[in-house]
Each structure stands twice: as C-alpha cells, then as structure tokens.
Amino acid sequence: MERLDIANWRGRYLVNIKTLRNEGRQIFYLDESWVDSNLTFKKCWHSTEVKGVCSDGNAGKRLIMVHAGSHAGFLQGVKLIYKADSASGDYHGQMNSTNFETWVREKMLQNLPPNSVVVLDNAPYHSVQADKAPSKYQVKSEMISWLLRHGVFCDPAMRKGQLYDLILTRKPKEKIFKIDQLLNAHGHIVVTLPPYMCDLSPIELAWSKVKN
C-alpha cells in the first residue's frame, strides 16, 4: 500500500502547483536523462527517405542530458550534454552537486524568465543542504565549529551529547537546500516533486519523445 506521508506530499504538491498555475506563473520542469550511442529499436515506422531502425555503429558511449522546459518547450540556452565517464550504472551517478550547481548558476539563472517556478525531483545533488547541522555522530570539532558559526557559546570540554543538545536548539525546523536558496535569491520559486512520482513531471514525456 502507498505510504501515507508520500500520499500527503503528493496532495500538497498538486494543490501548490495548481495555485501557481492559476497565478499565471511560468513553470519549468528540470531533469536529467541519458542516451546510449547504441540505442536502437527493433521495430518502428519509417519511410523510404528516412530509416527508422539504424544499426549500432559505435557501442558503449553514453551521453548525459540536462535540460528544463515548460508548456512552451525546452528553455533556450540551458541545454547541457556531455559524455559520461562510464556507460554502466545509473546516470545519476554521472552528476554531482558541484556540477549541478555550476549549471544552475551559469545557464539556468541566465535564461529563466523573472518570477519563474522550477520543479525538481529528489535526486541527491538537487537536495544538498545549506549549512547542514551536524548529527550526533559527527566529531566534536565539527559540532563546535557549527555552534560557533551560529553564535552559540560552548566549552570545548563538553561531551558530544551536550554539544548535540545545543545544536538542537539552533537546528532549523525545515531543511534548507543550496539550490533552493540560489533560485530564491533571484526571485524564483522551487517546488519539489513527491518521491517516486516522476509521472507528475511532463519533462519525462519530453525525454521519451526525444529518444524515440
């Protein structure tokens, strides 16, 4: 059966996205996908001029694609295509938070219309926390450093349990993500898809068309 928290998340998402649409906001769906050089189809329609099924001429190479789009199509100027380091494994492993943030800064922000809405999925590199509070398992030096950055006095002789109690008094109730902060600072809204709900992102259908 479906998890109650994810079902509730989906409900909140649908209400939120409907409200933003009614406000006339431009909504852009962002996603990554991949294509292998040996991607072929055994059967499809074709004409005498254009062959629908092509033989594999260069197997083993994988391209990673990063893009964003809306009902008007893909957003101009933000396309990123690069060769994967490995042709095996999940394509998410070919992207990391540093590269993703660089792409957002150098391409996404330069081309997004003002007051846009950006819809992201739950890929790990989309969800890197800003100034993440240390857990109770981290070393004392990291705990002390975090507390001092937040203006909380602590004695270096304190035990880890005591330091963690102080951290809990300053730990934000809601997680703050780097990408959200970056886009929010430029006047955009970030909406996160519920987990396991990629079918709510129209760009998945666009990828399917591109690959076909």
Side-chain angles (χ1 to χ4, degrees):
M1 294 179 64
E2 190 171 54
R3 276 173 42 185
L4 182 61
D5 60 325
I6 294 178
N8 290 338
W9 188 337
R10 180 180 60 219
R12 292 193 301 271
Y13 169 83
L14 292 173
V15 170
N16 190 16
I17 209 74
K18 182 178 180 180
T19 300
L20 293 167
R21 284 176 181 161
N22 291 339
E23 292 175 357
R25 303 291 290 263
Q26 294 191 71
I27 302 175
F28 293 90
Y29 297 86
L30 185 158
D31 193 31
E32 304 81 24
S33 191
W34 59 271
V35 61
D36 284 335
S37 60
N38 61 348
L39 176 65
T40 58
F41 297 88
K42 294 181 178 179
K43 292 192 297 184
C44 71
W45 291 103
H46 68 91
S47 69
T48 55
E49 291 81 18
V50 180
K51 293 183 178 180
V53 178
C54 301
S55 60
D56 172 26
N58 199 1
K61 291 185 179 179
R62 172 169 291 184
L63 296 177
I64 308 300
M65 307 177 292
V66 188
H67 221 322
S70 69
H71 69 281
F74 285 114
L75 182 61
Q76 294 296 314
V78 304
K79 176 179 65 180
L80 173 64
I81 300 178
Y82 62 95
K83 290 182 180 180
D85 294 334
S86 171
S88 62
D90 188 346
Y91 70 88
H92 285 106
Q94 306 293 335
M95 175 65 85
N96 57 49
S97 59
T98 301
N99 292 340
F100 180 71
E101 184 176 342
T102 300
W103 175 76
V104 171
R105 287 183 182 276
E106 296 182 357
K107 289 203 170 189
M108 190 79 174
L109 286 174
Q110 305 299 321
N111 294 281
L112 268 180
N115 302 315
S116 292
V117 177
V118 178
V119 180
L120 301 169
D121 63 18
N122 292 273
Y125 43 84
H126 294 167
S127 309
V128 176
Q129 291 187 52
D131 195 22
K132 183 179 180 181
S135 72
K136 59 184 177 181
Y137 302 107
Q138 286 181 265
V139 297
K140 283 182 63 175
S141 60
E142 293 177 356
M143 290 180 165
I144 293 170
S145 176
W146 190 90
L147 286 167
L148 293 177
R149 286 201 310 274
H150 289 78
V152 180
F153 172 78
C154 57
D155 187 341
M158 295 173 70
R159 300 178 66 86
K160 287 179 66 174
Q162 295 172 303
L163 292 171
Y164 187 65
D165 287 340
L166 288 177
I167 289 170
L168 291 178
T169 64
R170 287 298 183 95
K171 183 179 180 179
K173 293 183 180 180
E174 299 289 337
K175 294 179 180 179
I176 302 173
F177 301 114
K178 285 186 176 181
I179 294 301
D180 293 33
Q181 276 190 331
L182 180 57
L183 290 166
N184 291 162
H186 288 78
H188 306 298
I189 294 176
V190 177
V191 179
T192 304
L193 286 165
Y196 320 115
M197 300 287 171
C198 60
D199 54 316
L200 293 178
S201 181
I203 197 171
E204 297 290 351
L205 301 177
W207 286 139
S208 177
K209 292 289 186 181
V210 168
K211 290 183 180 183
N212 280 325

